[in-house]
Amino acid sequence: MANVAVYNMEGKEVGTIELSDAVFGAKINEHLVHMAVLQQLANKRQGTQKAKTRAEVRGGGRKPWRQKGTGHARQGSTRAPQWTHGGVVFAPTPRDYSFKLNKKEKRAALKAALTSRVTENKFVVLDELKFDEIKTKRFVEVMNNLKLRRALVVLNDMDINVIKSASNVPWVKTAQTNELNVYDVLKYETVIVTKDAVKTIEEVYA
């Protein structure tokens, strides 16, 4: 089991915590992690790109001139792709880019991402993170005490004071344990987790 230091909001070390190898000591499968990130980005795509084919463009119902004897090339419609204002050849249509991963694959990818953060010493545990009021300045002070930037802050519950205090800090994102995903874990330089959140993650993913 990996031992990680536990810090308070003043940035001082107040103890250590043992992390479960079942979650934070998992095998790192890079391909699985890559697929999990790819799936999350693909599922976010709107897929609303659209252009009209010759069948959808308004007009062009009449043959512009007779088939033979004019000296022009034969034409069947003024909305054929080679005409100005004509339809688009193989026009893009709205589509769904999403695909599925098995639950076991998703869990394994998340464990691998968390394990990589622990092995790279980019996993910070706080004894607690609580504010009496919504105060962005106070939240930034805590980050400065920990000497951290670009962090994902994982909370055990919906703490409105913490979430709203962090909402105006562009280099920080807050998430609850049930919102944890591979993309966010890897996107931010450091993962900050409260002790309660660590226990919940171990219970859910072990």
Side-chain angles (χ1 to χ4, degrees):
M1 288 189 175
N3 270 332
V4 175
V6 178
Y7 296 90
N8 60 17
M9 290 168 61
E10 280 68 48
K12 296 177 182 177
E13 188 174 331
V14 293
T16 59
I17 185 173
E18 280 194 352
L19 301 178
S20 170
D21 283 342
V23 179
F24 299 101
K27 181 182 176 183
I28 299 176
N29 186 329
E30 291 183 5
H31 174 69
L32 211 54
V33 172
H34 171 72
M35 290 302 295
V37 172
L38 206 64
Q39 186 217 20
Q40 190 169 340
L41 294 177
N43 291 359
K44 286 170 70 174
R45 291 184 69 173
Q46 282 189 317
T48 52
Q49 186 184 18
K50 177 74 173 78
K52 291 183 179 180
T53 64
R54 63 183 295 171
E56 297 167 315
V57 178
R58 182 185 174 92
R62 184 172 65 88
K63 190 173 172 67
W65 52 73
R66 68 179 189 269
Q67 182 82 346
K68 294 177 179 293
T70 63
H72 293 295
R74 53 194 173 188
Q75 300 292 330
S77 169
T78 57
R79 294 298 179 261
Q82 72 271 20
W83 284 69
T84 303
H85 307 303
V88 178
V89 183
F90 306 131
T93 54
R95 57 168 289 192
D96 181 12
Y97 290 92
S98 66
F99 63 93
K100 289 185 177 181
L101 278 181
N102 295 334
K103 285 183 180 179
K104 285 185 179 179
E105 290 176 324
K106 282 185 180 180
R107 289 167 71 93
L110 183 55
K111 288 183 196 178
L114 291 170
T115 301
S116 71
R117 282 291 174 249
V118 173
T119 55
E120 293 166 5
N121 294 320
K122 294 179 179 178
F123 190 86
V124 177
V125 179
L126 286 179
D127 59 346
E128 65 171 3
L129 185 59
K130 290 191 179 297
F131 298 149
D132 296 329
E133 58 179 341
I134 298 168
K135 200 77 174 175
T136 300
K137 186 177 179 181
R138 178 73 178 117
F139 184 86
V140 173
E141 280 178 8
V142 173
M143 292 295 107
N144 290 337
N145 291 340
L146 295 166
K147 298 177 182 177
L148 296 175
R149 305 284 284 184
R150 285 188 52 76
L152 173 68
V153 180
V154 183
L155 306 171
N156 193 45
D157 49 20
M158 188 80 170
D159 192 326
I160 296 298
N161 286 353
V162 175
I163 292 170
K164 289 198 173 182
S165 295
S167 63
N168 282 335
V169 184
W171 36 269
V172 166
K173 180 176 180 179
T174 57
Q176 293 170 251
T177 51
N178 60 348
E179 299 170 330
L180 207 54
N181 61 80
V182 176
Y183 178 73
D184 284 340
V185 169
L186 298 178
K187 179 182 177 181
Y188 292 89
E189 290 177 6
T190 311
V191 178
I192 302 172
V193 189
T194 62
K195 280 181 72 174
D196 291 340
V198 170
K199 289 178 183 177
T200 303
I201 291 169
E202 289 179 344
E203 287 172 4
V204 172
Y205 294 101

